[in-house]
Amino acid sequence: MPDGIKWLAAWDVPVEGVVFARGISADELAVRLGGALCEATEPITDGEVEHLGMRGRSDGVRGDGVVRVGEDAGWAFAVEYGDSTGADRLEEIASGRVDAVHYLPMSARPPARFHYAKNGVLTCGFGIGEEHRRWGAEPDLLLLELIAEEVLHPDGSQNFPPSREHCMAYRERTLGVLEQWFGLSLPRAVLDEARLPAYGVRGTPAMRTGPEPDHQQIKAWAATLGLTWNDVGGQVPSHVREARNHTARQDPKETA
């Protein structure tokens, strides 16, 4: 039985974003997000993404973005990491009679957001917890369903949760509407043991799955500072590499 998407309502789900597309393959979804078809990694787990050498956003400059892709319940999906491109390219993804959904998990403020595009047009979007404010070519596409689930009052106004303790249930109601209307599902195993191919979609992530040539050198440097990590496949975590690069810029002798 599909896992659905209501479980994404949890506050601590470690997901930057999820893109769903119906009408194209998982590999084509990666390409439309900015990946190169011939440059996918071997299938990797969620935990192994940290070894792909992504740079974070800094001083207004975009960082690197990576996606892992798969298919479930008739939809291709892409789980986003780092500074990915799903929010920027949804209409492009939906070109050519394709349906595309983007879910951006967030805390209470700013809210998590949902967008749906079809045939290259942004059709409907709203914040989770702010469903009374909707936009797109068909802003009322899900209005009756949101009212039926008591997310909105019959007049279309917001049915606010009585307390923070109830926010999770309200998020689940809205995600339940999306799950049922579109038939969306993201396997929970995607964020656990499932292995999926990964693509770089923004910037220049290293995208290596084998040992990095400077792995031992950086590991020795990190050890002098008391930095250690779970050494998987000879990969240097991105935050360690960023720290070393910063040190090298400040004082090249320290990393020689």
Side-chain angles (χ1 to χ4, degrees), residues 57-77:
R57 182 189 291 244
S58 177
D59 298 327
V61 178
R62 287 194 176 276
D64 296 328
V66 169
V67 296
R68 291 167 63 235
V69 300
E71 298 182 14
D72 192 43
W75 290 77
F77 64 79

Side-chain angles (χ1 to χ4, degrees), residues 134-237:
R134 302 177 301 280
W135 52 84
E138 300 178 41
D140 293 340
L141 178 69
L142 302 173
L143 177 59
L144 295 181
E145 286 72 20
L146 293 169
I147 292 174
E149 290 299 319
E150 300 184 350
V151 175
L152 299 176
H153 292 298
D155 64 359
S157 61
Q158 192 73 39
N159 184 10
F160 292 105
S163 67
R164 181 178 175 83
E165 288 71 25
H166 293 82
C167 286
M168 186 71 68
Y170 272 66
R171 282 186 172 214
E172 289 180 350
R173 289 184 189 179
T174 296
L175 289 178
V177 168
L178 304 181
E179 180 181 304
Q180 292 296 317
W181 177 267
F182 295 104
L184 297 174
S185 180
L186 181 70
R188 292 175 184 262
V190 165
L191 302 182
D192 193 3
E193 76 280 1
R195 291 186 169 275
L196 299 170
Y199 293 80
V201 296
R202 194 197 297 275
T204 55
M207 302 306 291
R208 299 187 187 97
T209 56
E212 297 179 272
D214 57 358
H215 166 255
Q216 290 298 330
Q217 181 183 359
I218 295 179
K219 190 172 183 179
W221 167 83
T224 65
L225 302 178
L227 296 175
T228 61
W229 62 87
N230 183 19
D231 199 355
V232 178
Q235 296 289 315
V236 178

